[in-house]
């Protein structure tokens, strides 16, 4: 066992904390020991939690407050603006057709992607869970795309599968059946680009949620199924509806929450699939893409961008509270 | 399973059907990976040939080395940046979040719950809302196009902290009590008892953070404005949106960019799955 030297050499955090708190408390080995010892809980708590909490405050709470501040100023290309404009940024944001349509895009995207990913990942979990061979192999295959980035996936989707020309995989396969070539990403009527955007996210994410569902399925007691069989429930749809789904309720709530949060953050696939050397097409800009171009694009309008961010934050806060109420989040399971 | 056991033919058909469906789906899930490698090792003519074939006619292994020689695509530099960023983000996040999670779970403090909810609350703040002001903050600090700017703001993951806290809440108290009796303080208990006995959760969180950091796009795109500070994702993205591009180069570069992750993934998959399963995310 090393002596107190080991404790003394344990790094800067303690040293600093010791200096800060030590002044005015007198000196002496006894005090020092008590100061360092497990008795001083407040100090120890902050020694462990402090560095993280300070960083989080600096890089989340400070930007949040700054965003609110900037949103009341005319801030073109500057981060310390002087022209106070009150609510002008908010008024022009809410009157801006492009911003409203970006919110619409997001709502549409969420309405598509959340139920689709939910159903696909649950179906994958149910199938993999009941496989009698190579279960680990199939689980790995469906989980592997999680390791792939949106940038790489968008590259494959845009330049190899849903390319608008004949050498794209989708058009090649459809060509075997005599179908015409489709310019997947630039056709907005019908909106084929949605197919591309939804499938790329599905491929990347379904495996991750499948793992969550698999974990949930493994916790369901086999006795419940036995009891259901005794009661005459047919395996399949009836047990799924009356046993499996209710037992997966907690997992489902978590999955839906994560899906919605992730849908709000959608940026990578939209940006990488739809923008090209000429810029970004006017359709299908979710809020994050819209804010990116407003705040950091040509105009660098940080005030306007911040106002958009604050509006979005309020919408998300309301949506989260409603969702939490809806699902009874935080309510204890009985 | 014994062979003699009689199985209802309908059940058997169901099983066979399920096996067929799951195999087809697995093939569909693997095709994008195949296309990445196929196009990366093919010639340009082979990729854009109007009569597209599943297997390339001509495999060009030299693509693998040629891509590093292209002065327009700074692949080696981008890979170095991505590695530095992903490794330091992972180490930093795991260290900071595990310490905080331990403190929150195990050191009694009157306001621990207040601190915990203040941390948890940031999970509800989406990146969409903070990326503009975070950019502003980082540019005020003069950190644009620096590794500092790319790494430090991303180190404080409330999600990782939450997972560690949940895990440490369930850590056997007896081990810590024994350490206390031996005269170990919080610090040494943490390093000598808690960390060595929690390797799976560290591996799981570490892998998830590493994957996230390696694949991150928006933050590196906004902060890494100089070519010199591009990550591999930004470099690839710049080339997918460029006008003149060599498809085979782009694809082989992308394949090289996911190779480290696939290795990490295959080696540590067990831990990721176990980690996800025991984070208590759905409890």
């Amino acid at each position: 066992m090393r002596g107190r030297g080991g404790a003394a050499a344990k790094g800067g955090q303690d040293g600093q904390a010791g200096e800060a708190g030590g002044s005015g408390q007198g000196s002496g080995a006894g005090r020092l020991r008590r100061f360092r010892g497990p008795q001083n809980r407040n100090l120890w708590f902050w020694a462990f939690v402090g560095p993280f909490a300070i960083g989080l405050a600096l890089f989340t709470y400070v930007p949040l407050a700054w965003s609110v501040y900037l949103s009341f100023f005319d801030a073109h290309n500057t981060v310390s603006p002087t022209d106070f404009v009150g609510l002008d940024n908010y008024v022009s944001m809410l009157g801006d057709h492009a911003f409203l349509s970006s919110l619409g895009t997001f709502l549409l995207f969420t309405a598509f992607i959340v139920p689709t990913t939910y159903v696909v990942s649950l179906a994958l979990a149910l199938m993999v869970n009941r496989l009698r061979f190579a279960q680990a192999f199939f689980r790995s295959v469906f989980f592997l795309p999680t390791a792939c980035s949106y940038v790489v996936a968008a590259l494959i989707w845009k330049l190899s599968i849903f390319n608008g020309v004949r050498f794209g995989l989708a058009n090649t396969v459809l060509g075997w059946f005599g179908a015409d070539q489709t310019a997947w990403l630039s056709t907005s009527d019908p909106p084929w680009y949605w197919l591309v955007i939804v499938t790329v996210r599905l491929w990347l994410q379904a495996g991750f949620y499948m793992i969550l569902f698999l974990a949930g399925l493994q916790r369901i007691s086999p006795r419940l199924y036995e009891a259901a069989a005794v009661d005459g429930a047919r395996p399949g749809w009836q047990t799924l509806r009356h046993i499996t789904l209710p037992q997966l309720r907690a997992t489902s709530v978590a999955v839906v929450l994560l899906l919605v949060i992730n849908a709000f953050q959608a940026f990578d696939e939209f940006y990488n699939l739809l923008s090209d050397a000429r810029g970004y097409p006017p359709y299908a800009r979710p809020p994050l893409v819209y804010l990116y171009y407003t705040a950091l694009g040509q105009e660098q309008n940080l005030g306007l961008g911040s106002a958009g961010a604050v509006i979005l934050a309020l919408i998300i806060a309301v949506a989260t509270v409603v969702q939490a109420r809806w699902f009874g989040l935080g309510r204890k399971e009985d | 399973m014994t062979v003699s056991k009689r199985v209802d033919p309908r059940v058997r058909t169901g099983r066979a059907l399920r096996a067929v469906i799951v195999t087809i789906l697995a093939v569909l899930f693997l095709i994008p990976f195949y296309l990445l490698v196929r196009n990366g090792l093919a010639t340009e003519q082979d990729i854009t040939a109007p009569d597209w074939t599943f297997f390339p006619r001509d495999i060009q292994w030299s693509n693998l080395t040629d891509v590093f020689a292209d002065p327009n695509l700074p692949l080696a530099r981008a890979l170095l940046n991505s590695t530095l960023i992903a490794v330091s983000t992972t180490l930093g996040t795991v260290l900071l979040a595990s310490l905080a999670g331990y403190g929150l779970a195990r050191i009694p403090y009157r306001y621990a719950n207040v601190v915990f909810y203040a941390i948890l609350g940031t999970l509800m703040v989406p990146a969409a809302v903070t990326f503009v002001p975070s950019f502003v903050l980082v540019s005020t600090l003069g950190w644009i196009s620096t590794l500092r700017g790319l790494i430090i703001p991303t180190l404080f993951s409330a999600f990782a902290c939450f997972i560690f806290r949940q895990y440490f809440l369930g850590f056997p108290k007896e081990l810590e009590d024994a350490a206390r009796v031996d005269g170990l303080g919080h610090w040494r208990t943490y390093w000598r008892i808690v960390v060595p006995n929690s390797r799976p959760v560290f591996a799981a969180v570490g892998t998830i953070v590493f994957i996230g950091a390696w694949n991150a796009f928006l933050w590196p795109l906004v902060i890494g404005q100089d070519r010199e500070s591009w990550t591999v994702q930004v470099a690839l993205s710049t080339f997918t949106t460029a006008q003149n591009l060599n498809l085979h180069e782009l694809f082989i570069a992308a394949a090289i960019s996911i190779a480290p992750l696939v290795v990490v993934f295959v080696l540590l998959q067990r831990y990721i799955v176990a980690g996800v399963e025991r984070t208590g995310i759905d409890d």
Side-chain angles (χ1 to χ4, degrees):
Chain A
M1 279 290 271
R2 281 190 295 155
R4 295 212 60 87
K10 66 203 163 199
Q13 277 161 13
D14 274 12
Q16 279 166 9
E19 272 167 48
S23 57
Q25 280 198 2
S27 58
R31 280 196 186 278
L32 192 62
R33 187 171 305 128
R34 191 168 72 205
F35 186 75
R36 275 186 185 150
Q39 301 93 319
N40 193 335
R41 284 165 174 170
N42 296 359
L43 176 82
W44 278 110
F45 179 84
W46 284 111
F48 276 82
V49 181
F52 178 85
I54 290 167
L56 193 68
L58 187 60
F59 290 107
T60 302
Y61 284 108
V62 169
L64 209 56
W66 203 332
S67 192
V68 175
Y69 173 80
L70 276 177
S71 69
F72 295 115
F73 285 85
D74 178 28
H76 273 81
N77 227 336
T78 174
V79 297
S80 40
T82 48
D83 288 347
F84 183 80
V85 295
L87 292 172
D88 280 8
N89 284 327
Y90 288 91
V91 172
S92 61
M93 231 21 190
L94 289 171
D96 181 358
H97 175 72
F99 178 66
L100 296 179
S101 111
S102 84
L103 292 177
T105 301
F106 152 73
L107 287 176
L108 198 60
F109 180 63
T110 310
F112 253 122
I113 201 71
V114 172
T116 317
T117 316
Y118 180 91
V119 170
V120 169
S121 50
L122 178 60
L124 285 177
L126 289 170
M127 274 192 291
V128 170
N129 193 43
R130 293 185 61 184
L131 277 181
R132 286 161 173 259
F133 62 99
Q135 201 183 51
F137 169 78
F138 283 106
R139 193 187 61 190
S140 306
V141 168
F142 297 133
F143 193 37
L144 193 60
T146 309
C148 202
S149 74
Y150 275 103
V151 178
V152 171
L155 179 145
I156 303 169
W157 256 245
K158 178 184 181 176
L159 296 175
S160 190
I161 300 179
F162 290 106
N163 208 328
V165 288
R166 211 187 313 165
F167 65 79
L169 180 63
N171 279 337
T172 302
V173 171
L174 288 175
W176 295 340
F177 301 98
D180 289 337
Q181 287 179 39
T182 305
W184 300 96
L185 281 163
S186 48
T187 312
S188 47
D189 184 33
W192 283 121
Y193 61 89
W194 278 112
L195 180 74
V196 186
I197 284 170
V198 169
T199 48
V200 83
R201 183 168 276 248
L202 214 49
W203 181 69
L204 281 169
Q205 297 213 317
F208 179 76
Y209 295 105
M210 174 198 73
I211 296 289
L212 295 187
F213 278 125
L214 275 174
L217 285 173
Q218 263 142 35
R219 274 197 291 267
I220 302 177
S221 160
R223 288 207 197 121
L224 283 173
Y225 291 104
E226 284 159 22
V230 171
D231 287 347
R234 283 194 308 275
W237 180 243
Q238 280 192 341
T239 43
L240 179 70
R241 202 178 137 206
H242 295 290
I243 310 243
T244 313
L245 287 181
Q247 289 290 314
L248 285 178
R249 190 175 162 274
T251 311
S252 295
V253 171
V255 167
V256 170
L257 263 178
L258 286 174
L259 280 171
V260 173
I261 290 173
N262 283 335
F264 270 114
Q265 323 267 23
F267 175 83
D268 297 10
E269 75 265 49
F270 282 89
Y271 182 87
N272 283 296
L273 284 170
L274 292 175
S275 68
D276 60 20
R278 287 167 313 223
Y280 194 95
Y283 51 86
R285 287 181 189 210
L288 201 44
V289 173
Y290 180 82
L291 293 176
Y292 172 79
Y293 281 102
T294 305
L296 306 174
Q298 289 287 310
E299 280 200 64
Q300 295 249 332
N301 195 335
L302 298 171
L304 203 57
S306 298
V310 172
I311 294 170
L312 192 60
L314 292 175
I315 294 175
I316 292 168
V318 171
T320 312
V321 171
V322 169
Q323 210 181 352
R325 281 278 164 87
W326 193 288
F327 287 117
L329 203 75
R331 194 202 315 148
K332 282 268 169 253
E333 292 291 310
D334 32 337
Chain B
M1 271 270 291
T2 48
V3 188
S4 61
K5 196 171 170 187
R6 294 248 314 268
V7 182
D8 183 338
R10 270 197 317 202
V11 173
R12 210 183 308 162
T13 320
R15 263 183 219 157
L17 194 64
R18 201 157 45 233
V20 170
I21 293 173
V22 96
T23 308
I24 292 172
L25 283 173
V27 171
L28 283 178
F29 267 68
L30 288 174
I31 280 181
F33 288 108
Y34 171 72
L35 291 175
L36 190 62
V37 178
R38 177 217 182 264
N39 290 352
L41 294 176
T43 59
E44 199 69 15
Q45 296 77 12
D46 226 350
I47 300 174
T48 53
D51 50 334
W52 190 86
T53 52
F54 196 73
F55 296 102
R57 270 155 286 225
D58 197 358
I59 291 182
Q60 301 254 314
W61 292 105
S62 58
N63 287 357
L64 264 174
T65 46
D66 288 353
V67 67
F68 286 99
D70 184 343
N72 290 318
L73 181 69
L75 185 61
R77 181 63 201 246
L79 282 169
L80 178 69
N81 287 339
S82 285
T83 309
L84 287 173
I85 291 167
V87 170
S88 30
T89 302
T90 307
L91 294 178
T93 304
V94 166
L95 177 72
L96 288 163
S98 69
L99 285 173
Y102 183 77
L104 286 166
R106 277 295 198 253
I107 304 177
Y109 173 59
R110 199 194 299 178
Y111 301 108
N113 269 339
V114 178
V115 177
F116 176 61
Y117 285 118
I119 291 171
L120 206 60
T122 65
L123 276 178
M124 303 228 295
V125 183
V129 176
T130 51
F131 95 93
V132 173
S134 299
F135 167 79
V136 168
L137 178 72
V138 167
S139 77
T140 311
L141 293 169
W143 289 0
I144 299 291
S145 289
T146 63
L147 282 180
R148 275 196 307 267
L150 286 159
I151 296 166
I152 295 173
T154 65
L155 288 181
F156 309 96
S157 159
F159 186 65
C161 174
F162 173 72
I163 288 178
F164 277 117
R165 174 186 178 267
Q166 298 305 98
Y167 174 81
F168 289 135
L169 281 176
F171 190 82
K173 200 140 187 129
E174 297 76 38
L175 275 174
E176 281 168 279
D177 291 341
R180 196 62 38 79
V181 171
D182 285 349
L184 266 62
H186 283 298
W187 193 258
R188 281 190 289 167
T189 308
Y190 178 77
W191 283 109
R192 296 208 193 145
I193 310 293
V194 176
V195 174
N197 283 297
S198 312
R199 282 199 193 113
V201 79
F202 275 84
V205 175
T207 321
I208 292 169
V209 172
F210 187 86
I211 291 174
W214 184 271
N215 285 341
F217 177 63
L218 178 58
W219 189 249
L221 176 74
V222 167
I223 301 300
Q225 297 185 344
D226 286 355
R227 259 172 92 85
E228 292 295 294
S229 58
W230 279 356
T231 63
V232 78
Q233 310 297 341
V234 176
L236 287 174
S237 165
T238 310
F239 279 80
T240 52
T241 54
Q243 218 138 30
N244 297 315
L245 42 89
N246 274 329
L247 285 174
H248 69 273
E249 219 174 71
L250 199 51
F251 276 99
I252 199 68
I256 292 170
S257 83
I258 69 163
L261 274 199
V262 171
V263 171
V264 168
F265 207 78
V266 168
L267 288 179
L268 295 177
Q269 207 215 133
R270 219 155 36 94
Y271 292 119
I272 311 175
V273 173
V276 168
E277 284 178 355
R278 77 166 76 173
T279 50
I281 201 168
D282 46 358
D283 279 337

